[in-house]
Amino acid sequence: MRIVVVGASLAGVRTVEGLRRRGSDADVVLVAGEPGAADGVAVDRPPLSKAFLASPDAEAAPLTTREKLGALGVELVPGRAVDLDLGARRVGLHGGESVAFDRLVVATGSSPRTVPGLEPVPGVFTLRTAADAAAIRAACTEDARVVVVGGGFIGAEVAWTLRQLGRPVALVEPLPTLMVRGLGPELGAAMTRRHAAAGVDLHLGTSVAGLEGRDRVEGVRLTDGTRLPADVVVLGVGTVPETGWLAGSGLDLRDGVVCDEHLAAVGAEGVHAVGDVARWHHPRYGVDVRVEHWTNAVETAGVVAADLAGERAVHDALPYVWTDQLGGRLQVFGQVRPGDEVRVVSGDLDGSFVAITGGEGQLRGLVGLGAVKQLMPFRRLLLAGAGWDEALAAA
Ligand SMILES: Cc1cc2nc3c(=O)[nH]c(=O)nc-3n(C[C@H](O)[C@H](O)[C@H](O)COP(=O)(O)OP(=O)(O)OC[C@H]3O[C@@H](n4cnc5c(N)ncnc54)[C@H](O)[C@@H]3O)c2cc1C
């Protein structure tokens, strides 16, 4: 049995580790194609928009090393996969070689989306790798004027981190509030007010029309006619699943590798997907989802390692994401649906708080800021499928 895992970041590395932990004695090969990284192995990404971005002294350690993989009996193959032949059961590599497999795990993650029509000029960055973060950090000199494009978790977090360093930061977001997809309109609006109070120059409900500057970015033009001066522009406009190398393979690639609840690719024998690239049928919600968060990458790796080791496992976990901004850890469990009721059950929205969200008599989501401990009893209720009244009674 030969298992090939393509992609050596969180989901891929945790999959090979999980296989060995579960006693698998298969031949395991890890194809590692992280750009600019030693041996193609990625670093843990969350610090890249937090401590690593803030401090030139911070270091980013790779998620594993050749030595550690060697100790696990995992063969490391640095390089990019360029195609997949499901019939011949081979992954083609850049440079012409190929790797044979019995079982394949796709762990190629996602890559930053760019803004259509924006020419990439020096001073304009996306943030995914340690090299990206180091380049942004170096460009954000003391007097650099920064424009962040995109007000999701990453954009808002980058704006917050750079603002804490004293940089003048403007943020452009087409929706009326920051982080609205994750937090919903009410909590999103409250957090938006806090960003404004911290001095982030918010331009909401408007988009980028174009960039100014030829040899280097000098400004950003907005669709509402505003011109923002800029020395550094960070694009945080979401990511797309890394499935280009799978084109034509026969896998179903509608926004990620389409999988069942075991994370097995539908319509293909012996292929799984993990992490950001996996789109699967979530048994808890009964819909297909793709999740681009750290904990999901770890959980999917566990499910697939178990499946490959012969223990049938289902990926039914409660969604979870955190981000460090607004003076604390902002955590979201479950789903915050637009139109759901929101109740603050601990603290207040100007400080630390826990809010519950729900509808149709059900508790559906939890949001906390700087309230890791206070959140836990509500998380237990959410996991247990508690009703709205039960959750309110626990406040
Ligand atoms: C700056 C930043 C901050 C974040 N902060 C948080 C946070 O606070 N909380 C949170 O929940 N989540 C956070 N995330 C998200 C989290 O890091 C991701 O969900 C996680 O990295 C997903 O892991 P993955 O292994 O699925 O994919 P990725 O990390 O994208 O890794 C995929 C790997 O596969 C490689 N690859 C791609 N194509 C090929 C190919 N053809 N051949 C070989 N290799 C290939 C890539 O180069 C990469 O090394 C953050 C992400 C970023 C970028």
Side-chain angles (χ1 to χ4, degrees):
M1 168 69 73
R2 191 160 204 248
I3 301 173
V4 172
V5 178
V6 181
S9 180
L10 188 60
V13 169
R14 291 293 176 98
T15 301
V16 302
E17 291 171 350
L19 279 167
R20 290 296 186 245
R21 208 172 29 252
R22 285 172 172 83
S24 165
D25 60 1
D27 286 346
V28 179
V29 177
L30 181 62
V31 178
E34 174 83 355
D39 285 329
V41 177
V43 302
D44 199 24
R45 301 196 197 280
L48 299 181
S49 46
K50 306 175 181 70
F52 186 83
L53 188 61
S55 165
D57 302 326
E59 282 180 20
L63 285 159
T64 189
T65 59
R66 185 176 279 282
E67 291 67 38
K68 284 185 190 158
L69 290 169
L72 289 174
V74 172
E75 186 188 344
L76 176 67
V77 176
R80 301 284 284 186
V82 291
D83 56 34
L84 167 65
D85 186 335
L86 272 180
R89 303 200 82 65
R90 299 194 80 86
V91 170
L93 301 180
H94 181 76
E97 309 237 312
S98 70
V99 189
F101 65 87
D102 300 302
R103 299 279 185 274
L104 173 68
V105 180
V106 178
T108 45
S110 60
S111 299
R113 211 182 274 279
T114 47
V115 178
L118 279 200
E119 288 297 314
V121 284
V124 179
F125 301 90
T126 53
L127 173 53
R128 190 79 193 166
T129 66
D132 296 336
I136 296 171
R137 194 170 67 187
C140 287
T141 51
E142 228 159 76
D143 50 356
R145 294 156 305 176
V146 183
V147 175
V148 176
V149 180
F153 285 127
I154 293 271
E157 187 175 72
V158 167
W160 181 267
T161 302
L162 295 175
R163 191 66 208 117
Q164 297 313 295
L165 297 178
R167 304 293 177 270
V169 179
L171 187 150
V172 184
E173 163 59 52
L175 295 172
T177 56
L178 302 182
M179 300 179 278
V180 68
R181 286 194 192 88
L183 303 179
E186 201 174 324
L187 296 171
M191 298 306 104
T192 302
R193 286 194 291 276
R194 290 177 65 159
H195 269 273
V200 178
D201 176 23
L202 295 172
H203 296 264
L204 305 171
T206 182
S207 311
V208 173
L211 296 176
E212 292 180 348
R214 282 206 1 210
D215 302 328
R216 207 182 155 80
V217 72
E218 289 169 8
V220 179
R221 274 181 289 107
L222 305 185
T223 47
D224 69 2
T226 308
R227 181 195 177 270
L228 300 171
D231 304 297
V232 175
V233 174
V234 182
L235 303 179
V237 292
T239 64
V240 286
E242 266 292 341
T243 53
W245 67 283
L246 299 168
S249 65
L251 290 180
D252 187 346
L253 301 175
R254 281 168 296 161
D255 187 31
V257 178
V258 178
C259 298
D260 65 14
E261 65 272 29
H262 307 286
L263 299 166
V266 296
E269 271 297 299
V271 180
H272 287 83
V274 287
D276 283 12
V277 78
R279 180 173 194 81
W280 83 105
H281 192 73
H282 202 305
R284 185 179 290 267
Y285 300 115
V287 290
D288 286 1
V289 292
R290 195 169 66 77
V291 175
E292 298 171 346
H293 301 319
W294 195 95
T295 307
N296 179 65
V298 173
E299 289 164 347
T300 52
V303 167
V304 169
D307 218 45
L308 288 170
E311 312 156 22
R312 278 259 90 178
V314 163
H315 186 34
D316 191 22
L318 192 66
Y320 171 62
V321 59
W322 85 91
T323 162
D324 291 343
Q325 53 181 294
L326 302 159
R329 175 147 294 189
L330 183 62
Q331 298 173 285
V332 185
F333 287 95
Q335 288 188 327
V336 183
R337 298 190 193 168
D340 270 3
E341 198 172 332
V342 178
R343 272 307 171 84
V344 176
V345 289
S346 162
D348 64 75
L349 294 178
D350 295 324
S352 298
F353 70 89
V354 176
I356 59 172
T357 73
E360 292 149 6
Q362 279 302 301
L363 175 65
R364 286 206 275 247
L366 286 182
V367 178
L369 175 63
V372 177
K373 252 206 202 139
Q374 295 86 327
L375 237 154
M376 283 307 145
F378 294 98
R379 178 177 172 269
R380 280 193 287 278
L381 287 174
L382 189 56
L383 274 169
W388 183 249
D389 291 340
E390 194 184 343
L392 278 181

